[in-house]
Amino acid sequence: MRTFVYTSHPSRVVFGAGTAGRLGEEVERLGCSRVLLLSSGPLAAASAKVRQELGGLVAAEFDGAVMHTPVEVTEQALGVLREASVDGIVAVGGGSTTGLSKALALRTGLPQVILPTTYAGSEVTPVLGETRDGRKVTQSSPAILPETVVYDVDFTLTLPLSLTVTSGVNALAHAVEALYSADADPVTDQQALDAIARIGRALPRLAADPADLEARADLLHAAWLAGTCLAAVGMGLHHKLCHTLGGGFDLPHAETHTVVLPHAMAYNAPAAPGVMRRIADALGVPDAPSGVHDLVASLGGPTSLRDLGMAESDLASAAQAAASTPYPNPREVTAEGIAEVLAGAWHGCRPAGPPSTEAELARLTEQVVASFAQAPEARVRTLLGDLVRHLHAFVAANDVTDAEWRHAIDFLTRTGEICGPTRQEFVLLSDTLGVSSAVDLLTNSRTPHTTPSAVLGPFYTEGPPDTPRGGDISGGLPGTPLWVDVRVADTGGAPVADAVVDVWQSDEDGFYDVQLPELAGPVLRGRLRTDAEGRIRFWSILPSEYPIPGDGPVGQMLKATGRHPFRAPHLHFMIDAPGHRRLVTQLFVSGGAYLDSDTVFGVKDELVVDFTPQSGPTPDGRPVDGEWRRLDYRFRLAPLAG
Ligand code: BEZ
Ligand code: FE
């Protein structure tokens, strides 16, 4: 059984994108009608937006918030506040603006609404650190806790990547130290682990695309959770060191957190192995301290106190200052221990993780992912980085051997070698692994109310022969005659005239013309244009099931795994019309073979249609002895986006 004490610090949190639009409502909810708007110089654009949202509720403004909350600045702001007889405070900005707001609230008792633009988390704590005569004094009081926090993800989209990283790691530090705090409780544990996981996944995404809204939301959500932990439980060695370095050596706050955290964690790791394991799991790394170091390094964040401008000669006095007062920490804090932590942080060494293969592999993966960081296109960075992560994870999860990997490379080499103008083995591979259908599913799911698409396959050829309306694409090949009468419409049902419709199919034996060198030219393929009713009609033959080519690596794969090579009988269509999205699809013969085990996973229920048996006169009077079939269908095309 776990014994614990849990204290919550009540504040109202409004979270989302565009939530600044609710500031006025939130101010009025606190009974205020004349607020002081606080910000700092660099946040002019953000405070202008807030001013616009608040309109007549703003009675005065002060944009002079600075780091470390000096009391002289607070006095100036207090003058503005009193002169305008305000009844509430709205602060937009990072830790400095929040600090000023808290200092004013402590002196006046006025309610506060904070809109944070960084990940500092202090907006949800009842703690205020002020500087008086160069000394930082920290106090805690319910009067300091802001009443309302409005998190608006839109206000974080333009935070530069370097600040995003350091501010995000500042939040990470709150969560990490909450987990091994002597005051930790089940609520803060959950909040801290959730925050760590969000930070671990959001930061790399933001490095690829700093305006990724979902990643921004994850990080801001994490900042709130980590701030809540900071409010609820005491912090340890890491915070003490950062406090000392910030106050006594004038090092920048968030950057110092970023450099020191992996080293403080490495120091505490032997005393909190369970916590470190949970942090490592939340981050998806084998070892927590080195994992944090690698994360920061891969994001281009600062890793050494030297780079932050600290003189090596200051290390001894910093260690002495940090060791001078006792404070709770999972591992006993000694002067030598602190000196060791500071030396590691000053040099920027990677904290030694356990010498495991996993750790090395994780480092290798991150190194490869980071190698794409300079690629100019964000999408390229994301796709290549993620591909590498998945490939490395696949190799690791299956313990792939050297011989197996050489076999795989040989397989791919042969797949490439067999490709040519009429043979596309990579398409076959993608199709038989279901990847083409997966991509197709995702694409098609974005266009409801339209005909589902289906894989293109390897047998399409550019520029098929023009076929007149009512013409015959069978080239005289044997088979059951098929009359095709299809219409092309838009999502509203209106006919789409002049659409270019390419059709292609296999012969009665299941071969495409490109597989039959004895054929003189293209057969069983054609290009038609829809008439004013959006209609095309032509003769062909009933398609039959067929095996995909089995004489290459893909055929070997199917044989080796006991899979049959057959496709269900179908007719291919590719439809292009101005103002509409191209539709690539297939119509399958209902009742045909292999409908439920198509080897390329291409069958969709809506595409299985009747190729209705007929006898007697044909629609265009063509004489046909015996059975013929007819296919009637209406395609619905999606409009072009935007
Ligand atoms: C086809 O339908 O032409 C096809 C599709 C995928 C793989 C092989 C053939
Ligand atoms: Fe086909």
Side-chain angles (χ1 to χ4, degrees):
M1 189 189 71
R2 185 171 179 183
T3 304
F4 58 87
V5 175
Y6 168 65
T7 312
S8 69
H9 296 277
S11 59
R12 176 176 163 86
V13 168
V14 178
F15 190 98
T19 43
R22 289 164 63 177
L23 275 170
E25 207 180 299
E26 292 300 324
V27 162
E28 282 163 358
R29 196 173 174 279
L30 293 171
C32 306
S33 58
R34 297 177 55 76
V35 297
L36 171 65
L37 174 57
L38 295 179
S39 65
S40 64
L43 285 162
S47 73
K49 270 199 249 171
V50 169
R51 184 185 313 120
Q52 203 183 354
E53 294 296 347
L54 290 174
L57 292 170
V58 178
E61 287 188 47
F62 184 83
D63 68 357
V66 294
M67 225 173 13
H68 302 312
T69 323
V71 287
E72 308 81 60
V73 174
T74 303
E75 294 298 334
Q76 279 174 29
L78 206 50
V80 178
L81 180 153
R82 294 223 161 98
E83 198 163 314
S85 308
V86 305
D87 57 10
I89 304 167
V90 173
V92 52
S96 308
T97 321
T98 303
L100 176 58
S101 175
K102 288 173 161 183
L104 293 173
L106 180 64
R107 287 162 175 79
T108 60
L110 290 178
Q112 314 167 62
V113 178
I114 313 282
L115 191 151
T117 56
T118 67
Y119 308 108
S122 71
E123 61 279 358
V124 286
T125 75
V127 180
L128 168 65
E130 297 182 283
T131 347
R132 186 186 294 277
D133 304 326
R135 275 195 55 239
K136 192 147 189 177
V137 183
T138 301
Q139 58 187 309
S140 178
S141 153
I144 293 170
L145 181 72
E147 280 69 10
T148 303
V149 183
V150 175
Y151 287 105
D152 187 338
V153 180
D154 289 344
F155 278 65
T156 63
L157 291 179
T158 53
L159 190 67
L161 182 61
S162 56
L163 286 182
T164 301
V165 171
T166 53
S167 187
V169 177
N170 189 3
L172 181 63
H174 302 150
V176 165
E177 290 228 296
L179 279 170
Y180 56 56
S181 169
D183 316 322
D185 63 66
V187 176
T188 54
D189 279 2
Q190 285 312 314
Q191 290 172 326
L193 286 171
D194 189 1
I196 291 168
R198 286 175 190 273
I199 293 166
R201 68 177 176 241
L203 284 178
R205 281 177 61 177
L206 290 171
D209 176 10
D212 180 331
L213 190 73
E214 282 309 315
R216 284 285 177 196
D218 245 353
L219 199 51
L220 196 59
H221 189 146
W224 164 50
L225 293 172
T228 307
C229 294
L230 174 68
V233 303
M235 299 280 116
L237 170 70
H238 168 78
H239 278 78
K240 176 71 182 174
L241 280 178
C242 291
H243 204 105
T244 306
L245 294 171
F249 300 87
D250 208 23
L251 293 183
H253 181 79
E255 286 91 331
T256 307
H257 270 282
T258 307
V259 171
V260 171
L261 183 61
H263 301 277
M265 287 170 73
Y267 182 81
N268 281 333
V275 165
M276 292 300 159
R277 216 176 16 257
R278 289 157 82 196
I279 295 172
D281 286 349
L283 288 174
V285 296
D287 168 63
S290 55
V292 171
H293 171 94
D294 294 347
L295 177 67
V296 172
S298 71
L299 298 166
T303 51
S304 79
L305 292 176
R306 175 178 41 199
D307 288 349
L308 298 189
M310 186 178 187
E312 192 168 14
S313 53
D314 282 339
L315 285 177
S317 55
Q320 216 172 17
S324 61
T325 46
Y327 47 91
N329 189 59
R331 180 172 169 195
E332 190 193 352
V333 178
T334 61
E336 304 78 64
I338 289 191
E340 196 186 301
V341 170
L342 284 177
W346 192 84
H347 288 282
C349 322
R350 179 176 190 267
S356 67
T357 316
E358 287 88 352
E360 273 185 61
L361 181 62
R363 194 140 63 102
L364 171 72
T365 304
E366 287 318 313
Q367 246 180 343
V368 182
V369 171
S371 73
F372 299 119
Q374 303 310 320
E377 280 190 44
R379 183 71 176 153
V380 170
R381 296 195 294 274
T382 304
L383 291 182
L384 281 179
D386 209 40
L387 178 66
V388 164
R389 283 211 172 87
H390 278 83
L391 281 176
H392 287 207
F394 165 79
V395 167
N398 296 288
D399 220 348
V400 171
T401 64
D402 213 25
E404 285 167 336
W405 193 241
R406 267 187 283 120
H407 184 82
I409 287 175
D410 175 58
F411 178 88
L412 291 176
T413 306
R414 287 185 290 115
T415 301
E417 280 168 354
I418 205 171
C419 287
T422 58
R423 179 76 184 255
Q424 232 311 348
E425 193 79 355
F426 275 112
V427 175
L428 271 193
L429 182 59
S430 156
D431 293 343
T432 48
L433 294 180
V435 183
S436 308
S437 283
V439 173
D440 172 58
L441 260 179
L442 293 169
T443 311
N444 197 57
S445 66
R446 292 175 199 139
T447 58
H449 316 302
T450 58
T451 305
S453 53
V455 294
L456 175 69
F459 297 126
Y460 176 70
T461 58
E462 295 290 342
D466 279 324
T467 306
R469 292 187 186 128
D472 186 349
I473 64 166
S474 73
L477 291 177
T480 307
L482 171 69
W483 173 251
V484 181
D485 183 345
V486 296
R487 292 162 193 262
V488 180
D490 64 16
T491 45
V496 176
D498 224 22
V500 176
V501 183
D502 289 353
V503 294
W504 68 106
Q505 66 166 90
S506 61
D507 70 9
E508 197 183 36
D509 300 323
F511 291 108
Y512 282 80
D513 54 0
V514 291
Q515 297 172 289
L516 301 169
E518 66 275 19
L519 285 180
V523 272
L524 287 172
R525 57 180 78 237
R527 169 167 291 176
L528 296 97
R529 283 176 192 277
T530 54
D531 63 15
E533 292 179 296
R535 195 169 181 192
I536 57 165
R537 280 167 288 184
F538 61 94
W539 280 104
S540 185
I541 54 172
L542 184 66
S544 45
E545 65 274 17
Y546 63 85
I548 63 166
D551 57 343
V554 171
Q556 285 167 2
M557 187 231 349
L558 294 182
K559 269 189 216 100
T561 54
R563 277 176 56 177
H564 76 68
F566 285 96
R567 289 232 58 206
H570 59 273
L571 178 53
H572 291 266
F573 291 85
M574 179 190 285
I575 307 178
D576 276 298
H580 294 85
R581 281 181 55 176
R582 165 180 287 181
L583 174 65
V584 176
T585 193
Q586 305 172 23
L587 294 179
F588 293 87
V589 181
S590 84
Y594 304 109
L595 281 173
D596 54 5
S597 66
D598 182 56
T599 199
V600 303
F601 310 96
V603 179
K604 293 176 180 172
D605 287 348
E606 288 162 270
L607 298 174
V608 179
V609 294
D610 287 336
F611 286 55
T612 319
Q614 308 278 324
S615 56
T618 56
D620 64 350
R622 170 182 179 163
V624 173
D625 284 340
E627 187 191 273
W628 54 279
R629 301 273 187 130
R630 75 174 287 154
L631 165 65
D632 295 280
Y633 194 76
R634 182 194 293 264
F635 293 101
R636 285 184 185 268
L637 301 190
L640 271 183

